[in-house]
Amino acid sequence: MAASEEDRHLTLAGEFDCIPEPLPTLRHSASHVMAQAVTRLFPEVKLSIGPAIEDGFYYDFLKPAPFLPEDLARIEETMREIVKADYPFTREEMPREAAIRFFEERQEPFKVEILRGIDAPTVSLYRQGDFVDLCRGPHVPSTGAITVFKLLSSSGAYWRGDEKNPMLQRIYGTAWPTREELDKHLWRLEEAKKRDHRKLGRELDLFLWSDVSPGTPFWLPNGWLMVRELERFVRETLDARGYQEISTPILVNKRLWEQSGHWEHYAENMFTVAVEDEVFALKPMNCPESTIVYRHALRSYRDLPLRYADMGRLHRNERSGTLTGLFRVRQFTQDDAHVYCRPDQLQDEITAMLDLVREWYKTFGLDPFYKLSTRPEKRLGSEEQWDGAEAALHDALRVNGLVYDLNPGDGAFYGPKIDIDIQDVIGRRWQIATVQVDFAQPDRFALEYIDTDGQAKRPIMVHRAIFGSFERFVGILTEHFAGAFPTWLAPVQARVLPISQKHGVYAKGVFTRLRSAGVRAELDDRNEKLGYRIREAQVRKVPYMLVVGEREAQNDAVSLRHRTGDDLGAVPVDRVVTELVAEIGSRSATLTVGRSA
Ligand SMILES: [Zn+2]
Ligand SMILES: [Zn+2]
């Protein structure tokens, strides 16, 4: 996995400190300008790091008090002066030891700490006007190039993300080539705030949080219904495609993790439990255990491919400071599967997985983007294995007619992979799915099958998850749909609203017919005004409201309303039930009941 921008700044390990692409370069340069403005206005601050991030940049400063909104306005003002002055960014090289002395004299302890961690004889400094920073670059030629920018917010952030370290003050900003792009971005941020799944989760009673288990949702009936629907969707489609579902233990002896290599490389992310003098760990992934299922029988070439789905409950020890709603949790369930196949089957398996990816995302109106990552410098496996696997991934993408980005050298050390991002309705990208070829685990666990020639051979293992985790996917869907879920996913699919108490008996009959047809219906016969009850159903994003009164009762009909506010007039109850059941059964993304002729 590529190092994050933060890691790159802390280690300065690569050729460049920043991604040397135009937009990150612009944003990173803007962070220098912001730091220059901050040191002008608050000379007592100490500088930390200022990376470009997705859609923007930040800089962290040691400062006793947080920045106030009026500080941000002043900083932005000073930044405009710096941009106007058009200072060139100039690079100078300095022996590391000299740079340490330089920053010691300037009383910049974080720069000194970073320098002490750099394993290089020479480092580079960049100056613009009166400001100097330790940096590998690259930057834009001069501060005048940074014309379209905005500071967005400030917050506390621990040095190196560790709560044992000093708390720094971070300012987030964004920079774009044009005013239109900035405006579009600001609109997206505004829209994202309205759609925030943490807010909607509260309003729609989907889940709650408790400090007895940080980073783990307590699913409420409404949210759990959605998880159940997604699980049902996964199971139905996988059953039809020759997958077999297994279920493996959550608490697993450390021996297994030693054999898989997780103990060596991943132990700090695992929760451990002492049991009768032995150490167990809560599984952070399902893979090693699926190999136990593979090994439980002698496998022949005829048995392959074996496709084991395992929707196991996983735990990863994320730092409490990084937990964010459903997007970063400590406990989650993946729609995980491991496919074991022969080399000659690999391309067909990948092709089928990509087909599944396309079909699944289409159901939600999410657009997928594909990235193929190939062999890195340090790797396991033979050249022949890599050639075969990379060709299989390329060809599977081509067979599916998919456009993809190529990330040469970005594969895992144990095999090439395809990562899939999705774009939601407001244009945000989320990385959720991955199809990962693995040469290492079959070796570590000595997996074999007997080939046509009677020889024992190693199968190829493919890891794949499409929704990623149900938790995060529900979070993404909540924001994508702004809580107005397709009917099949909606916790409450229809609400029956009698105009007055007089129509209670008929309303109850309609409600019962919906329930018997398997529709998640509710009856709202509270003694409240109809308008109030309609508004409330709309706030709850209930797809259909079935209003009933005298006329409807006489005609065995309902007055049908969509949550969008559309009033479709009188529709016979039978038709509503039939069309509703069909819409739910087809997992339609749009509301169709009462619309057709
Ligand atoms: Zn820089
Ligand atoms: Zn796996």
Side-chain angles (χ1 to χ4, degrees):
M1 194 185 218
S4 72
E5 275 298 282
E6 274 156 302
D7 290 341
R8 291 152 79 110
H9 275 73
L10 289 169
T11 58
L12 297 172
E15 174 72 13
F16 291 110
D17 176 3
C18 273
I19 301 170
E21 287 166 4
L23 211 43
T25 300
L26 175 75
R27 289 168 179 159
H28 170 66
S29 305
S31 88
H32 277 247
V33 171
M34 179 169 79
Q36 184 174 15
V38 169
T39 50
R40 271 193 196 170
L41 295 167
F42 307 91
E44 75 284 4
V45 298
K46 303 293 169 209
L47 300 169
S48 158
I49 58 167
I53 52 173
E54 198 185 352
D55 294 334
F57 61 87
Y58 69 76
Y59 209 110
D60 284 347
F61 306 92
L62 183 68
K63 180 176 176 293
F67 289 102
L68 304 170
E70 50 268 36
D71 295 336
L72 261 52
R74 280 170 65 212
I75 295 164
E76 220 177 82
E77 203 46 51
T78 308
M79 285 173 75
R80 297 205 190 282
E81 288 162 21
I82 295 166
V83 167
K84 208 160 162 211
D86 198 19
Y87 302 118
F89 282 95
T90 55
R91 177 190 169 96
E92 62 196 84
E93 301 207 337
M94 206 183 259
R96 191 183 71 118
E97 292 307 318
I100 291 176
R101 284 195 301 277
F102 177 83
F103 282 105
E104 273 173 350
E105 274 163 28
R106 296 176 74 97
Q107 297 179 13
E108 292 290 358
F110 300 108
K111 298 291 172 191
V112 172
E113 188 183 322
I114 293 169
L115 278 163
R116 289 198 198 284
I118 296 176
D119 184 19
T122 320
V123 298
S124 60
L125 272 56
Y126 275 84
R127 271 179 208 278
Q128 84 264 17
D130 55 356
F131 181 77
V132 62
D133 203 349
L134 171 69
C135 191
R136 277 275 175 101
H139 299 96
V140 293
S142 66
T143 58
I146 305 152
T147 50
V148 182
F149 64 90
K150 188 167 174 52
L151 301 188
L152 299 171
S153 60
S154 62
S155 65
Y158 293 105
W159 168 235
R160 292 181 189 271
D162 188 338
E163 51 273 24
K164 290 195 276 301
N165 287 338
M167 167 77 89
L168 308 174
Q169 301 302 329
R170 172 173 300 179
I171 302 178
Y172 286 104
T174 188
W176 295 84
T178 65
R179 173 69 46 190
E180 293 74 56
E181 284 163 286
L182 173 66
D183 289 345
K184 181 96 202 283
H185 177 64
L186 295 177
W187 169 82
R188 261 201 309 265
L189 289 180
E190 218 26 64
E191 197 55 31
K193 220 183 274 172
K194 282 187 238 159
R195 292 164 178 262
D196 189 321
H197 74 278
R198 291 164 294 185
K199 171 177 158 278
L200 287 169
R202 241 187 344 264
E203 289 169 10
L204 302 175
D205 284 325
L206 300 181
F207 45 80
L208 62 84
W209 305 93
S210 162
D211 56 13
V212 300
S213 186
T216 307
F218 284 64
W219 288 104
L220 296 170
N222 285 346
W224 192 242
L225 264 168
M226 294 179 59
V227 175
R228 281 174 49 188
E229 285 294 352
L230 291 171
E231 283 179 349
R232 175 154 41 183
F233 174 80
V234 168
R235 289 196 165 106
E236 273 178 20
T237 47
L238 293 190
D239 287 352
R241 285 171 180 256
Y243 281 78
Q244 296 170 289
E245 187 170 337
I246 60 173
S247 177
T248 58
I250 292 173
L251 192 59
V252 184
N253 195 296
K254 147 176 175 249
R255 269 182 293 132
L256 184 78
W257 307 114
E258 283 169 342
Q259 196 178 352
S260 68
H262 287 97
W263 199 255
E264 196 185 335
H265 298 292
Y266 202 72
E268 75 272 20
N269 297 85
M270 291 161 68
F271 290 108
T272 53
V273 182
V275 185
E276 297 176 352
D277 300 337
E278 296 211 60
V279 176
F280 283 65
L282 300 179
K283 64 174 167 181
M285 44 195 83
N286 302 302
C287 340
E289 291 185 71
S290 93
T291 68
I292 295 181
V293 177
Y294 181 93
R295 274 187 305 170
H296 123 93
L298 184 67
R299 309 293 181 181
S300 100
Y301 68 97
R302 276 189 305 262
D303 299 324
L304 303 184
L306 277 170
R307 308 184 188 97
Y308 288 137
D310 187 353
M311 295 197 262
R313 197 162 264 205
L314 309 179
H315 291 80
R316 291 183 192 171
N317 191 359
E318 304 279 356
R319 282 189 185 130
S320 53
T322 65
L323 301 169
T324 339
L326 294 174
F327 290 161
R328 192 169 296 199
V329 289
R330 281 188 176 155
Q331 178 198 283
F332 56 98
T333 307
Q334 277 183 337
D335 65 313
D336 204 5
H338 295 95
V339 171
Y340 298 91
C341 66
R342 307 188 306 255
D344 63 288
Q345 295 170 322
L346 184 59
Q347 193 200 315
D348 284 347
E349 286 307 306
I350 307 282
T351 302
M353 286 175 193
L354 294 178
D355 188 43
L356 202 58
V357 165
R358 203 168 36 174
E359 179 190 315
W360 283 18
Y361 291 156
K362 211 171 109 209
T363 309
F364 303 94
L366 296 164
D367 298 326
F369 294 85
Y370 302 84
K371 258 191 320 229
L372 170 60
S373 300
T374 56
R375 67 192 82 184
E377 246 166 69
K378 278 194 193 149
R379 57 181 179 264
L380 297 175
S382 68
E383 292 311 286
E384 195 193 340
Q385 277 178 314
W386 279 90
D387 289 343
E390 287 177 4
L393 296 187
H394 274 291
D395 290 345
L397 285 158
R398 263 182 296 226
V399 167
N400 276 279
L402 302 172
V403 179
Y404 60 96
D405 287 337
L406 188 62
N407 286 354
D410 216 21
F413 68 92
Y414 51 83
K417 62 174 177 172
I418 298 172
D419 288 322
I420 299 133
D421 288 354
I422 48 128
Q423 185 164 306
D424 69 14
V425 73
I426 60 168
R428 290 177 301 173
R429 293 266 182 116
W430 308 86
Q431 208 243 292
I432 46 181
T434 182
V435 170
Q436 168 82 61
V437 178
D438 187 345
F439 309 126
Q441 296 291 323
D443 257 347
R444 280 186 176 267
F445 289 100
L447 305 185
E448 290 181 342
Y449 67 95
I450 305 302
D451 208 351
T452 44
D453 57 5
Q455 301 290 312
K457 306 249 171 87
R458 286 259 182 282
I460 296 178
M461 181 177 186
V462 185
H463 312 255
R464 73 117 193 89
I466 299 180
F467 290 160
S469 84
F470 288 100
E471 286 76 4
R472 186 156 168 271
F473 197 60
V474 168
I476 291 169
L477 290 181
T478 303
E479 302 201 357
H480 175 60
F481 290 114
F485 301 107
T487 309
W488 70 276
L489 266 182
V492 178
Q493 296 167 322
R495 214 177 247 188
V496 182
L497 307 171
I499 291 174
S500 80
Q501 306 271 322
K502 278 187 295 189
H503 317 109
V505 175
Y506 176 67
K508 194 146 199 186
V510 173
F511 163 73
T512 308
R513 278 154 81 181
L514 288 165
R515 289 297 280 255
S516 332
V519 176
R520 292 191 290 268
E522 280 181 357
L523 174 64
D524 184 0
D525 56 2
R526 288 173 301 163
N527 194 11
E528 298 279 359
K529 285 220 170 66
L530 180 64
Y532 171 86
R533 285 178 288 144
I534 288 177
R535 266 194 308 283
E536 208 202 58
Q538 280 176 319
V539 168
R540 305 287 291 192
K541 322 257 184 197
V542 176
Y544 295 102
M545 284 153 265
L546 283 53
V547 179
V548 297
E550 204 54 50
R551 211 153 24 111
E552 286 79 14
Q554 276 164 19
N555 298 312
D556 197 28
V558 301
S559 179
L560 187 67
R561 299 174 71 103
H562 285 180
R563 67 181 160 213
T564 51
D566 289 1
D567 187 345
L568 289 130
V571 184
V573 177
D574 279 346
R575 182 175 154 201
V576 170
V577 172
T578 312
E579 291 187 7
L580 202 42
V581 168
E583 179 178 312
I584 294 164
S586 68
R587 298 195 168 99
S588 164
T590 49
L591 304 191
T592 55
V593 178
R595 283 218 194 275
S596 48

